[in-house]
């Protein structure tokens, strides 16, 4: 396994899932069973990965000189997130308490649209797609453990909720620019 690619995958997972970490902390704080949260997170994230891999395989049919232009997608997502941040917070409903595995998976999948937008162009130009998938699936478990830990640390959970959304647009724009200029 190429440790450089594994490190890139770990970094990309971390920055694209900051918002998910906050959600996990909220869900663990309200869960009747932590295994429902973990099962739902794995099920939902597997769906995200499946869509991203299929999208990347479809994108691989594109001519090689066109693939870097796929970086426009995460760039656009980052600019959209920055615009939303600039406009101010929207009223978001808190997640329902004690969600089941399928409901948790649905929330994870619905929250993963930005992940798919970032993963597809990166996967399309990646030489070691399987490394990304393995690292991502391993880190889902780490993320669940971190979410559970944060659920019991209210000060940390509040800080992530307050500042995590600022890092996301910056990182998405950076990923988009990297993919765009990788060609």
């Amino acid at each position: 396994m190429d440790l450089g690619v594994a490190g890139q995958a770990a970094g990309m997972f971390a920055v694209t899932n900051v918002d998910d970490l906050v959600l996990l902390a909220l869900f663990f704080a309200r869960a009747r069973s932590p295994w429902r949260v973990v099962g739902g997170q794995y099920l939902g994230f597997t769906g995200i990965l499946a869509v991203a891999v299929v999208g990347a395989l479809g994108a691989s049919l594109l001519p090689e000189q066109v693939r870097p232009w796929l970086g426009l997608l995460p760039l656009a997502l980052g600019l959209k997130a920055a615009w939303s941040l600039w406009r101010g917070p929207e009223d978001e409903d808190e997640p329902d308490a004690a969600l089941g595995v399928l409901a948790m998976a649905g929330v994870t999948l619905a929250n993963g649209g930005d992940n798919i937008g970032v993963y597809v162009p990166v996967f399309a130009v990646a030489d070691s797609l399987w490394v990304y998938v393995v690292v991502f699936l391993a880190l889902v478990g780490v993320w669940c453990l971190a979410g559970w830990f944060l659920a019991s640390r209210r000060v940390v959970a509040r800080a992530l909720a307050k500042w995590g959304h600022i890092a996301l647009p910056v990182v998405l724009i950076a990923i988009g620019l990297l993919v765009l200029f990788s060609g």
Side-chain angles (χ1 to χ4, degrees), residues 64 68 178-183:
E64 212 169 302
L178 285 173
V179 171
L180 189 61
F181 293 111
S182 70

Side-chain angles (χ1 to χ4, degrees), residues 7-75:
Q8 290 172 350
M12 187 167 67
F13 179 89
V15 298
T16 57
N17 286 289
V18 169
D19 56 339
D20 202 34
L21 189 57
V22 174
L23 280 176
L24 279 169
L26 291 170
F27 285 129
F28 275 115
R30 296 185 169 120
R32 289 186 191 140
S33 166
W35 294 110
R36 286 183 177 181
V37 177
V38 172
Q41 182 68 11
Y42 265 103
L43 186 59
F45 200 81
T46 300
I48 290 169
L49 278 179
V51 170
V53 168
V54 168
L57 292 174
S60 68
L61 299 175
L62 295 171
E64 212 169 302
Q65 64 271 25
V66 174
R67 291 183 200 165
W69 290 101
L70 293 171
L72 291 174
L73 186 56
L75 179 63

Side-chain angles (χ1 to χ4, degrees), residues 12-149:
M12 187 167 67
F13 179 89
V15 298
T16 57
N17 286 289
V18 169
D19 56 339
D20 202 34
L21 189 57
V22 174
L23 280 176
L24 279 169
L26 291 170
F27 285 129
F28 275 115
R30 296 185 169 120
R32 289 186 191 140
S33 166
W35 294 110
R36 286 183 177 181
V37 177
V38 172
Q41 182 68 11
Y42 265 103
L43 186 59
F45 200 81
T46 300
I48 290 169
L49 278 179
V51 170
V53 168
V54 168
L57 292 174
S60 68
L61 299 175
L62 295 171
E64 212 169 302
Q65 64 271 25
V66 174
R67 291 183 200 165
W69 290 101
L70 293 171
L72 291 174
L73 186 56
L75 179 63
L77 289 169
L79 291 172
K80 180 180 180 249
W83 174 257
S84 295
L85 183 63
W86 181 74
R87 285 184 43 223
E90 297 177 10
D91 292 331
E92 293 183 15
D93 294 332
E94 288 188 29
D96 292 334
L99 291 176
V101 172
L102 291 178
M104 181 67 203
V107 169
T108 301
L109 192 57
N111 191 42
D114 57 337
N115 298 42
I116 293 167
V118 172
Y119 299 164
V120 168
V122 173
F123 289 178
V125 297
D127 291 330
S128 303
L129 176 60
W130 68 273
V131 174
Y132 281 90
V133 172
V134 169
V135 169
F136 282 11
L137 289 175
L139 288 177
V140 167
V142 172
W143 232 237
C144 286
L145 186 59
W148 174 79
F149 178 80

